Amino acid sequence: MATTTHTPAPTSPASLASVTLEVADLEAARRFYGAFGVGAYVRLRACDAHSTGFRGFTLGLTVSGPATVDGFVAAAVDAGATVLKPATKSLWGYGGVVQAPDGTIWKIATSAKKDTGPATREIDEVVLLIGVEDVKATRQFYVGRGLTVAKSFGGKYAEFTAGESGRVKLALYKRRALAKDLGVPADGSGSHRIVLGGTPDAFTDPDGFAWEAPEPPAPAQS
């Protein structure tokens, strides 16, 4: 059963204000995310940090209907993405999974199983879902940093309330369950190749995800 937790924030609380993807080819990444249509939601930074296998997170787009899912998947593929899971109906709706040329995995989904209107390029919600070893422990870590829990399903899933300036919600899921949902092996090592902004003091969470103050680089071009 979902629960909502209200926890007093510390003096300098964290809130997810920006998501920066570290990419090997900055200009190529800018072109891809502009064509994909999500450039307003992520920042890009050149980085050659070592990373292998699953990076431990996915960015999810929630949209209005199956035709819009198909449109975003097609735009990603046309721009160079690889399909990890073709868009298909499921118990929960309709969705597919693609991997950007820089390695970032994106899941595009809708709770609707039928279209009620034409396809659009509108995004209802963007969620950064990070895979963790212990959902309860990591949830409490973030509560201690000042984030407010919006939804919590025991040790399986937790979602935090979006900050005032944040365009992306932060959520937690078991790492192996996340990898299975995305259709990739759970093993991976090296850098996550993602940095979260929205804290006055840099810190690293229990699963190695790094936070820093939400300063430039500028957002990717859309």
Side-chain angles (χ1 to χ4, degrees):
M1 182 176 178
T3 60
T4 300
T5 303
H6 298 284
T7 304
T11 303
S12 299
S15 64
L16 185 57
S18 65
V19 174
T20 299
L21 300 176
E22 297 185 330
V23 300
D25 188 330
L26 188 57
E27 290 305 316
R30 284 174 175 160
R31 290 193 296 271
F32 171 80
Y33 287 110
F36 184 19
V38 299
Y41 296 90
V42 295
R43 297 167 181 260
L44 302 171
R45 180 163 66 199
C47 179
D48 59 1
H50 176 71
S51 184
T52 62
F54 182 43
R55 295 179 182 174
F57 73 92
T58 186
L59 281 156
L61 307 181
T62 302
V63 298
S64 60
T68 300
V69 170
D70 290 338
F72 274 101
V73 170
V77 171
D78 288 346
T82 301
V83 175
L84 297 181
K85 276 191 171 183
T88 186
K89 288 183 180 179
S90 70
L91 179 64
W92 307 109
Y94 183 86
V97 181
V98 298
Q99 187 167 32
D102 66 88
T104 302
I105 296 175
W106 292 79
K107 183 174 182 178
I108 307 101
T110 177
S111 60
K113 295 184 179 181
K114 294 183 179 180
D115 288 306
T116 57
T120 73
R121 294 291 288 165
E122 295 181 2
I123 297 170
D124 296 333
E125 186 176 63
V126 181
V127 177
L128 169 61
L129 188 56
I130 61 177
V132 304
E133 292 301 320
D134 188 330
V135 171
K136 289 184 178 180
T138 303
R139 181 188 66 208
Q140 287 307 115
F141 172 85
Y142 279 117
V143 168
R145 300 294 312 193
L147 274 69
T148 300
V149 177
K151 299 177 183 178
S152 180
F153 296 88
K156 295 182 178 180
Y157 177 85
E159 182 180 297
F160 299 96
T161 303
E164 291 183 5
S165 60
R167 305 191 67 183
V168 182
K169 282 187 177 180
L170 176 66
L172 313 175
Y173 199 34
K174 294 283 287 186
R175 180 186 170 97
R176 290 195 172 277
L178 178 58
K180 182 178 180 180
D181 181 60
L182 299 174
V184 298
D187 296 333
S189 62
S191 174
H192 292 298
R193 302 296 287 273
I194 189 171
V195 178
L196 313 181
T199 179
D201 57 321
F203 68 87
T204 301
D205 82 357
D207 295 275
F209 289 92
W211 285 68
E212 62 184 26
E215 299 298 331
Q221 298 299 310
S222 60

